[in-house]
Amino acid sequence: MFGYRVPAPDEAMLISGGRRGLGGAPFRVVTGHGKFVLPVFRKTRFLTLSMCEAEVTETCVTKQGIALHVRAVIAFKVGNDHESIINAGQRFLSDQDQMSVLTGRIFAGHLRAIIGSMTVEEIVTERQKLAAEVLDTSKIEMAKIGLIVDSLQIQSIDDGDTGYIEAMSAPHKAAIQRQAQIAQAQATQASVEAEQVAARNQAEYARQTAIVKAEYSAEVDRAQAQAAQAGPLAQAHAQQEVLLAQTELAQRAAQLRQQQLVAEIVKPAEAEAERIKVLAIADAERMKIQAEAAASHDRVALDRMLIDQLPLIVKEAAGGLAGANVNVLNGADGLGEIAAGLVAQGLTILDSVRQNLNGNNSEGRSEKSEALLELPGYLRTPEKGGDGNESQDGSSAKG
């Protein structure tokens, strides 16, 4: 539309003529929207709000008196508020390139002043501190001209031919070189150790490979040897089986022959021996029965003979007493007692003979008869000899 003007996003439109602007400014400020401007009666101009750059290259003397060549870059722009736009418009609207020149001169002055209060070591090691102090001291002046600083970067610091900075960096360079040498030595050592480990691994791999090859070769040799021995081993096994079969056959034949010998010789011999044993037992039983019968007959005959001989024995005893030199103390009664004692002794002898016959049934009848014939001799009165004064019981009876 005719007379309607719109500023760009990074511009401020300044309308002069007609009413005054804010704070008595000779123009009105329009940003971010359009405005209808009467032709001929109003005049419009545009002030850039974009970022600008100023470069500073200055030789500054430090607190130690050492000259340093400092190069810095300042990024600045016109403030977004109306006051900053009015201040910048009144100063730079006709020649906006002067903003960079003036900004560089302002920062150069502040940079010389701040570097003059610092040492080279502080400037080199604390560049951020230097930039912050320069910004702080220049804010007020930059605000007066409607400018704000976004950043200050110190790009380089050089002491020329003095060599102070280089000398100051010499210990650090030496330390760095020493560390580099140590790192290089460690890297070399690590490389050598890695090579040694690799060599050991290769040797171990070669050893294992040789062992595996030897094992494979041994297995092949064993398989070949087994294959070569398979035929003879099979033949030997077959012969062994034949021998075992022959041995078993011989054992069976020997067992059969043993059974035949037992049936032909041992069994008949055993039967004959059993028959002879049975016959011997029967004969012994017969002879025992006969001996018992004979012994019984002898006992009966002996008892009868003893009974028959008993009166004669008593008579012989009495006759012996008649001829003996015996003194009888109590007369007829004493003589009767002696006779009764003789009879009792005869009966006792008879019982003893019977018991001997019962305990010795196996003795011959001739021996028993001889024993009986000798019985009367025991009862005879001893012959007179010497003193000839003995009694029946062998004791002397003196009158």
Side-chain angles (χ1 to χ4, degrees), residues 328-352:
V328 178
L329 298 178
N330 52 358
D333 294 332
L335 183 61
E337 292 176 0
I338 293 173
L342 292 174
V343 174
Q345 289 180 1
L347 292 175
T348 302
I349 293 170
L350 179 61
D351 292 334
S352 297

Side-chain angles (χ1 to χ4, degrees), residues 16-328:
S16 60
R19 295 181 302 176
R20 286 185 173 271
L22 183 63
F27 49 80
R28 287 179 294 170
V29 178
V30 178
T31 58
H33 61 88
K35 188 76 174 178
F36 184 78
V37 179
L38 291 175
V40 181
F41 297 102
R42 303 286 188 271
K43 187 177 182 179
T44 58
R45 300 286 296 273
F46 295 93
L47 179 65
T48 180
L49 301 179
S50 63
M51 181 66 66
C52 299
E53 180 181 314
E55 184 175 342
V56 177
T57 303
E58 191 69 24
T59 301
C60 306
V61 179
T62 66
K63 183 179 180 180
Q64 300 160 317
I66 298 172
L68 297 177
H69 302 285
V70 181
R71 183 174 178 271
V73 177
I74 304 101
F76 67 95
K77 65 181 290 293
V78 177
N80 293 328
D81 59 292
H82 283 196
E83 184 179 358
S84 297
I85 293 172
I86 292 170
N87 291 334
Q90 289 178 344
R91 291 171 177 81
F92 306 110
L93 186 57
S94 59
D95 189 4
Q96 297 185 24
D97 293 335
Q98 288 296 319
M99 289 190 292
S100 297
V101 176
L102 183 58
T103 301
R105 290 176 181 175
I106 292 172
F107 273 88
H110 290 288
L111 193 60
R112 284 195 302 270
I114 294 172
I115 287 177
S117 63
M118 298 175 67
T119 62
V120 177
E121 289 79 7
E122 292 175 349
I123 294 169
V124 172
T125 58
E126 299 179 1
R127 290 189 180 186
Q128 190 63 33
K129 179 181 177 181
L130 175 62
E133 290 183 0
V134 171
L135 286 174
D136 290 338
T137 56
S138 62
K139 277 183 181 180
I140 298 174
E141 294 182 10
M142 295 294 288
K144 289 180 180 179
I145 60 178
L147 301 176
I148 58 174
V149 179
D150 286 341
S151 66
L152 170 63
Q153 296 294 330
I154 298 175
Q155 293 183 340
S156 65
I157 299 174
D158 186 14
D159 60 351
D161 297 333
T162 58
Y164 188 90
I165 296 176
E166 184 177 358
M168 185 177 64
S169 63
H172 300 285
K173 289 181 179 179
I176 292 172
Q177 290 177 357
R178 183 171 60 255
Q179 292 177 358
Q181 292 174 357
I182 293 171
Q184 183 64 33
Q186 292 176 351
T188 303
Q189 182 179 0
S191 177
V192 172
E193 290 177 354
E195 291 178 357
Q196 292 176 353
V197 171
R200 286 196 298 270
N201 292 335
Q202 290 178 358
E204 180 65 20
Y205 180 76
R207 186 182 69 83
Q208 293 179 357
T209 303
I211 292 173
V212 172
K213 288 182 179 179
E215 291 178 353
Y216 288 161
S217 179
E219 290 180 359
V220 171
D221 294 340
R222 284 196 298 270
Q224 291 177 354
Q226 291 176 359
Q229 295 175 358
L233 286 175
Q235 186 176 0
H237 285 308
Q239 292 178 355
Q240 185 178 4
E241 291 178 356
V242 171
L243 292 175
L244 291 174
Q246 292 177 353
T247 303
E248 185 177 359
L249 181 61
Q251 291 177 353
R252 290 182 178 178
Q255 292 177 357
L256 180 61
R257 180 57 181 166
Q258 183 178 4
Q259 293 176 359
Q260 290 177 354
L261 291 175
V262 169
E264 293 176 357
I265 297 174
V266 176
K267 293 298 182 181
E270 289 179 353
E272 181 64 19
E274 188 66 23
R275 186 182 68 81
I276 293 172
K277 182 179 179 180
V278 171
L279 292 176
I281 292 171
D283 190 26
E285 288 294 331
R286 181 179 59 79
M287 293 177 66
K288 181 180 179 181
I289 294 170
Q290 291 177 356
E292 289 178 354
S296 177
H297 183 268
D298 290 342
R299 284 195 299 271
V300 172
L302 181 59
D303 292 341
R304 184 176 300 170
M305 184 179 62
L306 289 174
I307 294 169
D308 293 339
Q309 294 293 329
L310 183 59
L312 181 59
I313 292 170
V314 174
K315 181 180 180 180
E316 291 292 333
L321 289 174
N325 187 13
V326 177
N327 295 321
V328 178

